[in-house]
Amino acid sequence: MNDLRRLAFEVPRPLKRRPSPTFGADVVMSARRPLEYDRRHLLLAAVDGAIMPFVILTGASGAGKTTIAEAVERLHGQEIDVFYKDRIGVPPVQEMVHQFGSVEGWQRAAIFGWMARLSPLLTKGRSVLFEGQARFSFLAEAAERAGIGLHSCILIDCDDDTRARRLSIDRGQPELANPDMMNWAAFLRHEAAAYECKILDTSNLTLEQGIERVLRELRRQPV
């Protein structure tokens, strides 16, 4: 049994199952922030009395989160460890459903696996940046389960026209610029607001400006 499939049986099940916003138009629903989730905009991982920056970038495809993370790794890899959720591989949808019950079940298991893997790194004194699409509720739940106390989640976002242009022209994947993707982006926007997380709109930002704002978070400076 592979690691993610094993984790699918180990992680706690949600109390109430909800449909995946990626596969349906009914995505405008209440995203309730857990009471234990820190409401501050800047959150840091505290281990053995030391403060270690741990920042998560999430967002729908086309917003620029991977581009920013790759640039941070390229320019600042000596001081910041960067990890990408999908580098473990993304199985076909049929396999996700077969092994994890749904696409969101796979996403949840993947996030739990990553948080468990990253938690020990926060004791090593290095800044950690994690990039990947995920619900904020999954991120908060998985971080708590992994013993990661305080951290920062940033939604990397953009307007629909910019997203469609980037996906269709810049990436050559027009099939991704569909209503489901826009609904998923709207859902994450709504959830980020409910969890009081930062939203970085890259619609009119240069790559350098996006990098600078993420570095400010990692270096614990006001954004």
Side-chain angles (χ1 to χ4, degrees), residues 58-105:
T58 191
S61 297
K65 62 187 182 300
T66 306
T67 300
I68 292 174
E70 289 177 342
V72 170
E73 182 178 29
R74 184 174 64 254
L75 299 172
H76 303 277
Q78 292 185 341
E79 59 177 302
I80 300 168
D81 292 326
V82 182
F83 298 89
Y84 306 85
K85 169 177 161 280
D86 290 345
R87 295 290 168 87
I88 60 173
V90 180
V93 171
Q94 287 184 337
E95 185 176 336
M96 293 181 189
V97 173
H98 177 71
Q99 293 192 6
F100 305 104
S102 65
V103 173
E104 70 173 1

Side-chain angles (χ1 to χ4, degrees), residues 1 4 11 50 62 80 89 103 105 111 119 122 126 134 140 143 153 177 188 203 214-215:
M1 183 180 295
L4 279 182
V11 298
I80 300 168
V103 173
I111 291 300
S119 181
L122 299 175
R126 290 178 63 84
C153 290
L188 289 176
S203 301
V214 171
L215 288 176

